[in-house]
Amino acid sequence: MKKLLTAQEVRELAQEYRVKFVRLQFTDVLGDFKNVAITVEELERALEGAIPFDSAAVEGFDGHREADILLHPDPSTFVIFPWRPRDGAVARLICEARTASGEPFEGCSRSVLKRALAPLQERGWRLLVGVESEFFLFHTDGQGRPETRTHDQAGYCALTPLDLGENARRDMVLTLEEMGIEVKSSHHEIAPGQHEIGLKDDTVLAMADKVSTFRFVVRTVAQRHGLHATFMPKPLTGQAGSGMSLSLSLWSNGKNMFYDPDAPRCLSPLAYNFIGGLVRHAPALTAITNPLVNSYKRMLPGRMSPLLAGWSDDNRCTMLRVPVHQTGGARILLRSPDSTANFYLALAAITAAGLDGITNAIPAPEPLPDGDGATLAAQIRDYGLPRNLGEALDSLASDEVIRGVLGETIYQRYTTHKRDEWERFQRQVHAWEIEEYLTRF
């Protein structure tokens, strides 16, 4: 964990590195990274939380004026963009939205996550998260618009010359590390043009900031290589989809509270309760961690698709997996999310679900065994996650814990957007329907 910067250190760094522009970045309800750019002469006002703007930008309703709110930057998130000129450099600060009286704005995703973490902090606990995120690199056409032509035909962990994205991926890693984001691994994934980058464990809030920055960096560096990076969960029919695997562990006073060397799988009773909470709230969680219509094209029956509300150490179709070989770093792997989620809201919901499991001693269900097609079909019938966005939103509506941690403002804004997305998809006639039915009927 790096040393956190203070406001005074931000002022000094901006002067030392001749920063001219500062992007005040924030995340809207849907998880899109946005910013307001200021000149360095306005940095002092920004650090005082005196930069106003319209709340519609946070809530995602373009052109709908809601209220004037203020951006409050977190000095610890100050970083200089390494791809911009050094003379007249560009830096950024990640911000929260607050009201004129200084209270957290109820539509601010980062504030929701901080509120969700408060019960852990009151107990002296820290939830650590590691991330492995998959994405595709595609060609663009003559106008720079993305296509679905991949830049290689490589497979899992392939090397050059098969892995044609190696140079772009290397530059992504170097850029991330230059911005203070520690990378633990990177490699080519299963599908042609598919890649994965893993980030080292960090605290929940820090990781939420890092993932927002990570997606921005990956897409920026890909563009500089003449490619388009997409975190779309299922961009290609018949190929593997892209997900985001989270490694979760709970700590107190330097001790991993999930670890019990004398227990089966080396997991403590508290870890099993955390699992119990995640499984109980899995349907509602899915509405946040898998937020697109397209997310559910990835979660279809297959050997590696995380489509079961359960856990296992060998069944790769469960949303949760417990590594067979646990050490003092015992952890739980949550495999169902994808990288299109608003990561602040996703981690808030995950934290609330796990904490509910601990607080109410929710037992973990029995692990789901691996099996043949008939076994998987029965498991999907009994333990399947929502099959589409509409089902997931219905589950969220009735889950008081997950809905409660979001807060009613974010819940209403989020579900309004997502219900509209689902209805627009339902109203469209898709190419598959034309191909399947037009000549037959």
Side-chain angles (χ1 to χ4, degrees):
M1 316 290 175
K2 69 176 184 178
K3 175 182 176 292
L4 300 183
L5 296 175
T6 65
Q8 180 56 35
E9 288 170 326
V10 167
R11 297 182 186 96
E12 293 169 356
L13 287 170
Q15 183 176 11
E16 178 182 351
Y17 288 94
R18 301 191 302 279
V19 170
K20 179 58 182 175
F21 300 98
V22 180
R23 293 187 181 183
L24 304 179
Q25 297 182 325
F26 56 93
T27 298
D28 72 8
V29 167
L30 299 180
D32 292 331
F33 217 18
K34 297 188 175 184
N35 73 199
V36 173
I38 62 171
T39 61
V40 73
E41 288 77 16
E42 291 291 292
L43 178 59
E44 190 61 39
R45 287 184 65 231
L47 291 171
E48 293 172 355
I51 303 295
F53 74 116
D54 193 331
S55 69
V58 173
E59 296 178 310
F61 289 99
D62 293 336
H64 178 62
R65 185 174 180 83
E66 285 289 318
D68 289 331
I69 52 179
L70 301 170
L71 290 176
H72 278 247
D74 183 340
S76 70
T77 64
F78 180 82
V79 68
I80 297 170
F81 292 146
W83 59 83
R84 304 298 293 176
R86 292 305 186 191
D87 189 14
V90 180
R92 76 91 193 269
L93 286 161
I94 293 178
C95 303
E96 296 164 21
R98 297 186 186 175
T99 65
S101 62
E103 296 297 315
F105 177 58
E106 57 189 6
C108 175
S109 301
R110 197 172 191 265
S111 296
V112 166
L113 177 55
K114 292 177 76 171
R115 186 173 68 239
L117 293 173
L120 292 180
Q121 294 165 346
E122 290 169 2
R123 303 185 189 198
W125 296 353
R126 290 195 312 163
L127 184 63
L128 297 188
V129 185
V131 167
E132 293 177 352
S133 179
E134 298 166 340
F135 56 92
F136 278 85
L137 292 176
F138 290 131
H139 283 298
T140 58
D141 65 15
Q143 285 73 48
R145 294 173 298 205
E147 300 179 341
T148 55
R149 290 187 300 116
T150 61
H151 63 298
D152 65 41
Q153 293 298 315
Y156 191 64
C157 291
L159 300 171
T160 303
L162 292 176
D163 178 8
L164 299 180
E166 187 176 64
N167 288 340
R169 199 172 64 241
R170 182 195 62 225
D171 285 351
M172 292 169 188
V173 171
L174 293 175
T175 301
L176 289 166
E177 292 190 333
E178 193 169 348
M179 296 177 71
I181 298 176
E182 295 183 288
V183 175
K184 64 181 179 182
S185 63
S186 70
H187 60 84
H188 198 286
E189 258 296 339
I190 296 172
Q194 188 183 33
H195 303 266
E196 178 184 288
I197 294 178
L199 308 182
K200 290 184 179 179
D201 292 17
D202 207 334
T203 57
V204 168
L205 184 61
M207 185 56 75
D209 290 337
K210 286 181 177 182
V211 167
S212 298
T213 303
F214 164 80
R215 293 184 296 206
F216 169 60
V217 168
V218 166
R219 292 170 68 87
T220 299
V221 173
Q223 185 179 53
R224 294 171 69 85
H225 280 261
L227 298 167
H228 175 76
T230 180
F231 294 96
M232 183 177 174
K234 189 75 169 181
L236 299 176
T237 301
Q239 296 289 355
S242 293
M244 174 183 279
S245 179
L246 308 183
S247 172
L248 304 168
S249 58
L250 191 62
W251 296 75
S252 177
N253 296 319
K255 179 183 177 182
N256 185 342
M257 300 172 69
F258 282 176
Y259 182 60
D260 182 349
D262 300 320
R265 300 180 180 86
C266 295
L267 287 184
S268 68
L270 186 142
Y272 283 108
N273 290 148
F274 197 92
I275 290 172
L278 290 176
V279 173
R280 174 170 294 184
H281 297 287
L285 276 175
T286 306
I288 307 299
T289 60
N290 305 83
L292 306 185
V293 168
N294 182 256
S295 296
Y296 299 83
K297 302 292 180 70
R298 165 180 166 252
M299 300 167 70
L300 296 173
R303 294 290 299 174
M304 301 290 284
S305 299
L307 46 76
L308 301 176
W311 68 282
S312 179
D313 48 20
D314 58 357
N315 185 343
R316 296 303 180 98
C317 292
T318 55
M319 62 178 283
L320 291 163
R321 190 172 75 84
V322 175
V324 176
H325 301 292
Q326 296 274 33
T327 63
R331 64 201 188 280
I332 300 165
L333 302 182
L334 178 60
R335 303 175 52 249
S336 53
D338 65 58
S339 297
T340 64
N342 180 329
F343 207 52
Y344 296 99
L345 299 185
L347 284 177
I350 290 165
T351 300
L355 186 59
D356 185 50
I358 292 171
T359 302
N360 294 300
I362 298 173
E366 291 297 313
L368 296 178
D370 201 3
D372 56 20
T375 300
L376 179 58
Q379 291 174 337
I380 293 172
R381 181 191 65 231
D382 296 335
Y383 308 105
L385 291 169
R387 295 299 300 271
N388 57 57
L389 181 59
E391 290 183 10
L393 291 171
D394 290 342
S395 297
L396 176 60
S398 60
D399 191 309
E400 294 182 1
V401 170
I402 305 305
R403 182 170 172 169
V405 77
L406 298 179
E408 198 59 18
T409 295
I410 289 240
Y411 169 77
Q412 293 294 343
R413 295 293 192 266
Y414 183 84
T415 54
T416 295
H417 280 289
K418 290 301 166 182
R419 289 288 184 190
D420 177 69
E421 181 179 336
W422 176 238
E423 290 300 323
R424 285 187 289 114
F425 174 76
Q426 293 287 77
R427 287 196 295 266
Q428 292 292 321
V429 177
H430 301 278
W432 181 91
E433 297 171 271
I434 298 297
E435 182 70 22
E436 185 77 8
Y437 303 127
L438 190 62
T439 57
R440 290 173 54 198
F441 300 101

